[in-house]
């Protein structure tokens, strides 16, 4: 509990926060409300990141966790790209090609075929402030072993590495991504989150205008 309090007292301060106000309002009115509700909160010490990331993975690592569960699950993770990296969206495209819909490569090869070995598969890209990761996973259908799941996941990963993707797969993934972004920006909460993220992680709120470029 004390550790949680210390973390909160260090990081949850006005000088380490971003406030986004979205909606139909008058600027002066909002400034008055912000000052009324937030001006009495004391600033904290300056928060600095020293650039050191602990436990950087430099090679393959394996972790086996056994528990009383009915189905086995395999995760395979790779180091990814941080938010704002030049090719960070490429990993999002890859995740969609591997997972999206029944035609997704993992879905069609492991779940929706004549000889399925998985009950569920996924691939997602997670980009963070200083680093990122892309995770592939598969849940057994109750018959397949973890080794079989791993082998099939790696087969699909190696296949896309050696042969690349088709024009149709790329266009389909881009369509899904653009639809998702458009849907997000249909709501003020989505616009607010995008503005806050661009400010905090990239120091560039105008990046929101480049989402479809």
């Amino acid at each position: 509990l004390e550790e949680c309090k210390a973390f909160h007292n260090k990081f949850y301060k006005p000088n380490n926060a971003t406030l986004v106000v979205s909606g139909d309002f008058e600027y002066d009115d909002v400034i008055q409300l912000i000052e009324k509700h937030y001006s009495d909160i004391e600033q904290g010490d300056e928060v600095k990141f020293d650039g050191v990331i602990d436990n950087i993975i430099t090679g393959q690592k394996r972790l086996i966790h056994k528990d009383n569960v009915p189905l086995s699950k395999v995760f395979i993770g790779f180091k990814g790209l941080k938010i704002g990296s030049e090719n960070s969206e490429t990993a999002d495209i890859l995740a969609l090609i591997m997972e999206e819909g029944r035609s997704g490569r993992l879905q069609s090869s492991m779940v929706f075929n004549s000889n399925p070995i998985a009950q569920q598969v996924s691939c997602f890209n997670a980009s963070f402030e200083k680093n990122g990761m892309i995770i592939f996973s598969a849940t057994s259908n109750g018959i397949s072993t973890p080794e079989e799941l791993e082998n099939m996941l790696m087969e699909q990963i190696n296949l896309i590495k050696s042969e690349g993707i088709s024009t149709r797969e790329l266009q389909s993934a881009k369509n899904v991504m653009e639809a998702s972004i458009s849907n997000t920006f249909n709501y003020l909460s989505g616009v607010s989150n995008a503005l806050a993220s661009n400010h905090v992680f990239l120091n560039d709120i105008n990046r929101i205008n480049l989402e479809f470029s």
Side-chain angles (χ1 to χ4, degrees):
L1 182 59
E2 293 304 317
E3 184 178 357
C4 292
K5 289 181 178 179
F7 182 90
H8 184 276
N9 291 334
K10 179 178 180 179
F11 294 103
Y12 284 73
K13 296 295 182 179
N15 52 299
N16 193 47
T18 294
L19 175 65
V20 177
V21 181
S22 301
D24 184 8
F25 55 81
E26 296 295 331
Y27 176 82
D28 292 338
D29 294 339
V30 169
I31 294 300
Q32 291 180 9
L33 289 171
I34 291 174
E35 291 178 347
K36 175 182 178 181
H37 293 287
Y38 294 100
S39 61
D40 61 341
I41 303 177
E42 296 183 359
Q43 289 202 132
D45 296 331
E46 182 180 0
V47 178
K48 294 183 178 180
F49 181 75
D50 59 13
V52 177
I53 302 176
D54 295 333
N55 301 322
I56 294 178
I57 296 177
T58 56
Q60 185 184 103
K61 292 191 176 183
R62 285 178 173 269
L63 175 64
I64 299 176
H65 178 73
K66 295 184 178 181
D67 207 340
N68 184 27
V69 293
L71 299 175
S72 301
K73 189 162 188 173
V74 173
F75 293 90
I76 299 177
F78 296 90
K79 181 180 177 181
L81 300 169
K82 68 179 182 180
I83 293 176
S85 297
E86 181 179 358
N87 295 315
S88 60
E89 287 82 6
T90 303
D92 293 324
I93 292 290
L94 172 62
L96 287 170
I97 290 173
M98 296 298 277
E99 179 194 28
E100 184 69 19
R102 292 196 174 197
S103 61
R105 293 198 178 192
L106 297 183
Q107 300 283 6
S108 60
S109 64
M110 301 181 70
V111 181
F112 299 105
N113 59 26
S114 59
N115 187 29
I117 66 170
Q119 176 176 284
Q120 181 268 342
V121 293
S122 70
C123 177
F124 66 91
N125 174 52
S127 295
F128 304 112
E129 183 177 8
K130 302 300 179 182
N131 224 315
M133 61 181 179
I134 183 164
I135 305 292
F136 301 82
S137 73
T139 303
S140 172
N141 58 2
I143 301 174
S144 58
T145 65
E147 291 76 18
E148 290 172 324
L149 295 175
E150 178 184 350
N151 290 339
M152 181 57 75
L153 285 172
M154 288 307 305
E155 179 179 316
Q156 292 302 313
I157 292 170
N158 289 327
L159 187 64
I160 208 167
K161 286 171 59 179
S162 62
E163 298 184 4
I165 62 176
S166 68
T167 301
R168 180 181 178 183
E169 286 177 318
L170 176 59
Q171 188 58 56
S172 177
K174 290 172 67 175
N175 291 343
V176 172
M177 182 176 291
E178 289 179 1
S180 176
I181 294 173
S182 178
N183 183 61
T184 296
F185 289 169
N186 281 334
Y187 301 92
L188 284 177
S189 58
V191 175
S192 299
N193 287 333
L195 288 169
S197 295
N198 289 337
H199 176 255
V200 171
F201 298 117
L202 305 175
N203 195 30
D204 181 13
I205 60 173
N206 291 318
R207 186 182 176 89
I208 193 173
N209 297 315
L210 304 176
E211 292 288 352
F212 288 104
S213 64

